[in-house]
Amino acid sequence: MAVEPLRIADREFSSRLILGTGKFSSPEMMRDALEASGAELVTVALRRANLSGEKDPFANILEYIDRDNFLLLPNTSGAMNADEAVRLARLAAVAGLPKWIKLEIHPDPRYLLPDPVETLAAAEQLVNEGFTVLPYINADPVIAKRLQEAGCA
């Protein structure tokens, strides 16, 4: 049985697996795991990425991700409110990363519970600026509907 491609915004993916880049023992281990996974979409925490353009084998995980095979999905992990998340997304775009963003706003770093009010505010602004927004939320059909109406992917 053929599997339908996953469509997000204007892109099709043959894999439904989305991998993150955290928790690997080394950048080489991350690279090897990504390549073996078959995933095509990879999340990258902006606070872990060196966006300066300088080669730094100890600080830049982006140098270990083949951009011809993976779409980078920067995430705003660590943002405490909409303003911080929007600033991080803009920074990623200016640094040359795709205008796709995994929108994460969780003001309590202990529990990492997403803030639906701030997420909606940031999503509306980012969608208006041309970003493809994939919001991180709890299983809440009301906020999901509002985010869909705002134009989230």
Side-chain angles (χ1 to χ4, degrees), residues 20-39:
T21 53
K23 310 289 186 209
F24 289 97
S25 59
S26 71
E28 294 83 7
M29 179 73 75
M30 176 203 65
R31 178 199 59 219
D32 295 346
L34 293 176
E35 290 175 1
S37 72

Side-chain angles (χ1 to χ4, degrees), residues 26 40 49 62 65 94 106 112-113 142 145:
S26 71
E40 298 165 276
L62 297 178
I65 301 171
V94 168
H106 33 75
L112 300 179
L113 294 171
V142 174
K145 182 69 172 160

Side-chain angles (χ1 to χ4, degrees), residues 18 21 33-34 41-42 65 73 85 94 98 100 104 107 111 116 121 124 126 145:
I18 301 172
T21 53
L34 293 176
L41 192 54
V42 176
I65 301 171
L73 179 60
V94 168
W100 283 55
E104 295 186 46
Y111 297 107
E124 290 171 337
L126 291 170
K145 182 69 172 160

Side-chain angles (χ1 to χ4, degrees), residues 47-139:
R47 54 189 185 152
R48 291 186 59 231
N50 175 3
L51 300 178
S52 70
E54 298 173 10
K55 301 277 186 198
D56 182 348
F58 299 104
N60 196 356
I61 62 171
L62 297 178
E63 293 175 24
Y64 293 86
I65 301 171
D66 181 353
R67 295 191 195 188
D68 291 332
N69 292 323
F70 301 102
L71 174 64
L72 293 178
L73 179 60
N75 73 52
T76 62
S77 178
M80 305 287 268
N81 57 48
D83 289 339
E84 285 183 23
V86 168
R87 182 180 54 77
L88 285 169
R90 288 174 178 159
L91 177 64
V94 168
L97 295 176
K99 284 189 82 172
W100 283 55
I101 199 81
K102 179 183 175 199
L103 180 59
E104 295 186 46
I105 301 174
H106 33 75
D108 183 343
R110 181 172 182 192
Y111 297 107
L112 300 179
L113 294 171
D115 182 323
V117 174
E118 292 292 310
T119 299
L120 180 58
E124 290 171 337
Q125 190 166 351
L126 291 170
V127 166
N128 285 336
E129 293 181 18
F131 283 86
T132 298
V133 179
L134 287 79
Y136 171 71
I137 61 170
N138 284 325

